[in-house]
Amino acid sequence: MDEFIQGFWNFAQHYWWLIFPIMGMAGGAAKAWECSSKRRHERRLETLRMKAQLKTAEIEARALTQQARRRGPSVVDTTASVAPNDLVARLFSEHDEITARWLDYELDVAKLIAFPAMSDGRQPLTAAFLRAKKTADALRPASADAKVSEQQVTEYLQAVGDYAVAFEIAEKDARRLRDSTFTEPERKRLDRAQQLLKVAVDESATQAERNVAYKRVREELDGLILLSDDAVTVLEKQVAREISAPAAPSVSEPAAPEPERIRLPRRDEQS
């Protein structure tokens, strides 16, 4: 070992000048990696735009098809414009379907633990989805029968297409990442929370066992995953539900207490 160290220093003394080309090569490699990362990001955005355009065309085509079916076997003028109310009603259906798929993650704590990126606005694709949702919600007409201009319908059509594609991409990315963005200790906490959650909603467990498990789930998730108030409400109802058929509580036996509601800080508030 001593001979190796001595040999290294002898080499360094005679060839110290090599540090300059090595540093230049390292800098070039870092710059090349940065450019490659930028190109990947641009390609991802371009893919997002292309898919959004395809989705928009698909929604509009389905609206045209439904309109043609209602007209029956008569000759259909394919160059005619879509009736605004028909298209708006179809867009409402698409919009609501995407929102329901998102809420399936947002309100299901087990899914949030399994795919935490779906609730993490710091993830670029999740942030893009949330922006697309905000835009689609803002452009949504008051009702399918509301009087809207052709421009409003066009903007809402594009917004729903963007919303659909952004959700699909964010969902695929979240399922790919799973808990890989967390450290090893944090992944262990998520795993414990997932196991405790099974006890918290297990009808065969006692109410006291469910309450303790629920409290520990909240503690394990503290600083890792932000649960919305609606998700907490859904989980508390699952924890507090009766084990068997409900019966009137006797005077000597008070009703089982509901789980204590714990208000935990957001992950980004702790940084």
Side-chain angles (χ1 to χ4, degrees):
M1 184 67 179
D2 292 338
E3 293 179 358
F4 174 79
I5 296 175
Q6 184 62 37
F8 171 79
W9 285 115
N10 289 336
F11 177 84
Q13 288 174 358
H14 290 86
Y15 299 97
W16 57 269
W17 50 270
L18 288 175
I19 191 172
F20 297 106
I22 290 174
M23 289 179 62
M25 293 171 61
K31 187 175 181 180
W33 182 87
E34 182 180 357
C35 292
S36 177
S37 178
K38 184 177 180 180
R39 286 195 298 270
R40 286 196 301 270
H41 180 66
E42 291 174 348
R43 286 197 298 268
R44 179 176 290 180
L45 291 178
E46 182 61 26
T47 300
L48 179 63
R49 285 192 291 268
M50 291 177 63
K51 287 188 175 182
Q53 291 173 1
L54 291 173
K55 187 67 176 181
T56 300
E58 178 186 346
I59 294 172
E60 191 169 12
R62 283 203 296 264
L64 281 168
T65 301
Q66 289 183 350
Q67 186 183 26
R69 287 175 179 173
R70 285 196 295 272
R71 289 180 179 178
S74 58
V75 177
V76 178
D77 182 7
T78 57
T79 63
S81 60
V82 181
N85 287 347
D86 293 339
L87 180 55
V88 171
R90 180 61 196 173
L91 291 174
F92 271 29
S93 177
E94 294 280 346
H95 193 158
D96 292 340
E97 180 184 349
I98 302 162
T99 300
R101 291 172 62 189
W102 171 66
L103 288 175
D104 194 35
Y105 287 95
E106 188 70 8
L107 301 181
D108 189 334
V109 178
K111 278 193 172 182
L112 282 178
I113 295 174
F115 311 107
M118 286 301 292
S119 67
D120 190 351
R122 295 169 302 177
Q123 294 293 330
L125 296 180
T126 302
F129 158 70
L130 293 175
R131 287 194 298 269
K133 180 183 185 303
K134 185 177 180 180
T135 300
D137 290 344
L139 292 175
R140 179 174 177 135
S143 69
D145 298 326
K147 292 183 178 180
V148 291
S149 66
E150 183 179 347
Q151 179 65 25
Q152 288 175 307
V153 174
T154 300
E155 291 177 351
Y156 183 48
L157 172 65
Q158 183 63 51
V160 173
D162 292 343
Y163 183 33
V165 173
F167 174 81
E168 291 175 1
I169 292 177
E171 182 182 41
K172 288 180 180 178
D173 194 57
R175 289 181 173 273
R176 177 184 64 84
L177 291 173
R178 298 186 73 89
D179 60 0
S180 62
T181 59
F182 293 85
T183 64
E184 183 62 27
E186 289 174 338
R187 286 197 289 270
K188 290 181 179 179
R189 288 177 58 187
L190 290 175
D191 185 62
R192 286 195 297 269
Q194 193 74 276
Q195 298 304 318
L196 289 165
L197 182 62
K198 295 178 181 178
V199 178
V201 299
D202 186 358
E203 294 184 2
S204 65
T206 66
Q207 186 64 58
E209 289 172 337
R210 294 207 299 263
N211 287 348
V212 171
Y214 164 80
K215 185 174 182 179
R216 289 192 59 193
V217 168
R218 299 299 308 277
E219 291 172 350
E220 293 291 352
L221 296 181
D222 181 17
L224 297 182
I225 296 178
L226 174 64
L227 301 182
S228 67
D229 291 340
D230 290 336
V232 171
T233 299
V234 171
L235 178 57
E236 288 179 347
K237 288 180 179 179
Q238 292 176 329
V239 174
R241 64 188 173 188
E242 295 292 340
I243 298 176
S244 56
S250 63
V251 177
S252 58
E253 292 185 11
E258 293 187 358
E260 177 186 358
R261 195 180 188 92
I262 306 172
R263 182 61 181 174
L264 299 175
R266 296 169 180 252
R267 188 180 182 186
D268 54 4
E269 291 176 348
Q270 296 183 342
S271 58

